Amino acid sequence: MKNFKLLILTSAFFAFMVSAKPIAESAELVAPLLVGQTVPAVDTVTLAGEKVSLQKVLNNKPTVLFFYRGGWCPFCNVQMGQLQEIEKDLVDLGYQLIGVSTDSPADLQKSMTKEELSYLLLSDFDSQMSQAFGLAFFTSQKVTDRYLAKMDLQNPLQKNAAGDERLVLPAPAVYVIDNEGLVHFQYVNPNYKVRLDPQLLLMAAKLAK
């Protein structure tokens, strides 16, 4: 019994450490969740504004999960459209397609309508989910000021190691996850202008089956 309790405490501590990854000082320094690792226990927010666990959303289903910056990003909009085009192929393979960004639920609704999306979007307004996946990073002061002014973003600012309040964004990423939450494929690029080709994603999804 003592060993069993120790196992539970160790597992709980490990889960906490996974979900408590620090926010990187730049996109180049992110330490993303890797192939062979399990999706962390973390909460997210639905289109309806309901806070739920990611595990509940995944619902033990094979999933293609992608992180994008927001509906205000033209590169993200192109990617969302490309993924919409292959969603049926992913569904036929047994996957569900889910997108995550720092947009609020209201802004997610706008993206759903504008891009005519049929897959699920989740709000990571406070960056807790992207942080748990090791994707969150502080933008520079210049980028923070420019984005807040130009896009009128309402995202909460967070303090970096120097105590400066900065905008936090995720490095764009794509994960192929099985029904047990295990990562079989991941693509992360600190250059937000470069996204995974949808046909390569389809190939990765097929190989992961």
Side-chain angles (χ1 to χ4, degrees):
M1 178 64 71
K2 185 179 295 184
N3 289 338
F4 180 69
K5 290 181 178 179
L6 179 62
L7 177 62
I8 292 177
L9 289 173
T10 301
S11 299
F13 177 74
F14 178 74
F16 171 77
M17 292 301 291
V18 169
S19 62
K21 288 186 177 183
I23 300 174
E25 288 296 322
S26 70
E28 291 74 21
L29 295 177
V30 296
L33 194 72
L34 301 175
V35 171
Q37 293 184 310
T38 302
V39 169
V42 65
D43 288 334
T44 187
V45 177
T46 66
L47 282 170
E50 178 186 5
K51 188 174 183 179
V52 297
S53 69
L54 176 60
Q55 278 69 21
K56 182 177 180 179
V57 176
L58 296 181
N59 195 28
N60 297 315
K61 295 179 180 178
T63 304
V64 171
L65 184 72
F66 72 99
F67 288 79
Y68 66 101
R69 297 169 0 128
W72 45 267
C73 169
F75 298 95
C76 298
N77 288 327
V78 170
Q79 181 186 33
M80 285 192 285
Q82 291 175 335
L83 291 175
Q84 178 62 47
E85 292 177 0
I86 66 167
E87 188 206 10
K88 184 181 183 304
D89 296 316
L90 291 172
V91 171
D92 289 344
L93 287 170
Y95 292 94
Q96 59 182 340
L97 178 61
I98 300 176
V100 183
S101 79
T102 57
D103 282 345
S104 67
D107 286 333
L108 291 181
Q109 289 281 8
K110 294 176 183 177
S111 290
M112 293 284 293
T113 301
K114 178 184 175 184
E115 304 299 328
E116 299 181 340
L117 305 179
S118 57
Y119 52 82
L120 180 64
L121 295 181
L122 297 173
S123 174
D124 187 34
F125 195 64
D126 58 4
S127 299
Q128 291 300 302
M129 191 171 166
S130 59
Q131 187 175 350
F133 274 74
L135 301 169
F137 70 94
F138 292 105
T139 59
S140 67
Q141 190 65 60
K142 180 180 179 180
V143 170
T144 295
D145 294 341
R146 179 159 57 91
Y147 280 14
L148 291 179
K150 188 175 181 181
M151 265 78 71
D152 191 30
L153 300 182
Q154 302 301 313
N155 302 67
L157 302 182
Q158 300 191 49
K159 290 185 178 181
N160 63 7
D164 301 321
E165 291 193 327
R166 300 287 176 80
L167 179 66
V168 176
L169 292 176
V174 181
Y175 286 91
V176 176
I177 304 163
D178 69 15
N179 62 328
E180 295 183 348
L182 185 69
V183 176
H184 286 256
F185 171 85
Q186 60 100 276
Y187 175 87
V188 182
N189 196 323
N191 183 351
Y192 67 87
K193 297 181 180 180
V194 181
R195 304 299 170 98
L196 179 66
D197 185 283
Q199 293 306 312
L200 290 179
L201 173 57
L202 267 180
M203 185 181 297
K206 290 176 182 177
L207 292 174
K209 293 298 291 182

